[in-house]
Amino acid sequence: MVINMFRHNGNRLRRKNKCCNGQGCCSATDAQRQGKTFLDKVEVGESGVVKTLKATPVIRKRLLAMGLTPGVNFKVIKVAPMGDPIEIRIRGYQLTMRKNEAACVEVE
């Protein structure tokens, strides 16, 4: 968990930023994730199609700008030993993304 410090009228305020898997970046709750496949769970060598992006507006905009749009085909090329980052081939290029960002991408 990352804690950012902000100043407002001279007082220090704390705001907690949590990362994905239903803890902040993703708009999908654990109940909504059940029975669905997300990009962070796809094995190396497997292919699929992006179904939806279950991310906050900021993360969603970044993923869309990288070409990760609904309906696009992808293939998982590599996953780092600790599981983060994940490299996928999409639209003729290789895209490396964080595991918490991949957890926001619903696939089929």
Side-chain angles (χ1 to χ4, degrees):
M1 178 180 0
V2 178
I3 299 176
N4 291 335
M5 304 297 265
F6 294 95
R7 287 201 179 268
H8 180 68
N9 296 334
N11 297 324
R12 292 180 91 177
L13 301 175
R14 288 187 175 189
R15 180 180 69 130
K16 296 180 181 180
N17 283 343
K18 298 180 182 178
C19 287
C20 255
N21 290 329
Q23 300 176 15
C25 302
C26 286
S27 59
T29 63
D30 290 335
Q32 291 170 329
R33 289 179 62 91
Q34 289 180 351
K36 297 179 181 177
T37 306
F38 286 81
L39 185 55
D40 64 329
K41 302 298 183 195
V42 178
E43 299 293 326
V44 174
E46 291 183 3
S47 304
V49 178
V50 174
K51 190 173 178 184
T52 60
L53 301 176
K54 305 274 186 182
T56 60
V58 174
I59 302 295
R60 180 178 167 76
K61 185 176 181 180
R62 185 178 335 148
L63 294 174
L64 290 170
M66 291 189 290
L68 209 58
T69 57
V72 71
N73 295 321
F74 71 89
K75 181 177 182 179
V76 177
I77 304 297
K78 294 184 218 174
V79 177
M82 297 298 288
D84 193 21
I86 298 170
E87 184 174 320
I88 62 172
R89 183 181 309 267
I90 186 170
R91 297 182 187 266
Y93 70 95
Q94 292 176 327
L95 172 66
T96 303
M97 59 193 310
R98 296 178 184 133
K99 188 174 182 177
N100 63 350
E101 294 171 344
C104 300
V105 181
E106 185 181 345
V107 299
E108 47 183 30

